[in-house]
Amino acid sequence: MRKIITFGTFDVFHVGHVNILERAKAMGDYLIVGVSSDQLNMSKKGRNPIYSEDDRMHIIKALSCVDEVFFEHSLELKGQYIKQYDADVLVMGNDWEGRFDEFKNICEVKYFPRTPSISTTEIIEVVKSIPNK
């Protein structure tokens, strides 16, 4: 069985998230997803997520392409998570290109192109720009 692992915040879930998860699953037989905890999100982005970690976990678990989900509590533990889940391939969006090459000694590392013109940051900016009535 070829296991794929990926990580993300998945806050304000959108079609770009679905695209990368479906493509990741297509690379193997079993897809494992690490969902950033609220605390990790605060430490790496300096803000709380829109949706709680429990809601984001629930959304990811509900996807038919995802086989297993866990909370990612630290970026520094990525190598440990890869080993713990016995992953063969780490998949990340290409906005992280090269940042996880250090794990090529324990698994294959793939960076997928992001879906053009779709990001949580852009969605939040669009919502903020809508005038109140």
Side-chain angles (χ1 to χ4, degrees):
M1 177 189 307
R2 187 170 159 96
K3 292 182 176 180
I4 314 299
I5 193 167
T6 191
F7 299 86
T9 303
F10 305 104
D11 192 30
V12 187
F13 194 80
H14 56 70
V15 71
H17 295 132
V18 174
N19 290 341
I20 200 164
L21 292 172
E22 287 180 340
R23 291 181 62 205
K25 177 62 180 252
M27 291 190 66
D29 306 299
Y30 194 84
L31 178 59
I32 305 154
V33 180
V35 175
S36 298
S37 68
D38 290 346
Q39 184 177 6
L40 175 57
N41 194 68
M42 176 58 96
S43 70
K44 70 180 181 182
K45 296 184 178 180
R47 66 169 177 82
N48 285 316
I50 304 294
Y51 294 106
S52 73
E53 61 186 22
D54 290 334
D55 286 349
R56 293 180 286 115
M57 172 80 84
H58 186 83
I59 290 167
I60 300 302
K61 275 184 178 175
L63 299 171
S64 62
C65 63
V66 175
D67 297 293
E68 191 169 351
V69 183
F70 67 96
F71 283 122
E72 178 187 25
H73 295 287
S74 170
L75 295 176
E76 288 72 32
L77 295 177
K78 250 185 205 12
Q80 183 177 318
Y81 294 132
I82 292 167
K83 291 176 186 173
Q84 178 182 340
Y85 289 97
D86 196 26
D88 299 294
V89 182
L90 167 63
V91 170
M92 298 297 292
N94 65 354
D95 51 327
W96 295 92
E97 186 84 43
R99 294 184 59 185
F100 298 108
D101 288 353
E102 65 186 278
F103 301 119
K104 287 183 175 180
N105 62 335
I106 56 174
C107 69
E108 184 180 345
V109 178
K110 291 283 187 187
Y111 300 98
F112 286 166
R114 295 171 56 109
T115 303
S117 302
I118 296 178
S119 78
T120 297
T121 302
E122 290 175 16
I123 292 168
I124 291 172
E125 290 306 313
V126 167
V127 170
K128 283 181 175 177
S129 71
I130 297 172
N132 291 330
K133 291 187 176 184

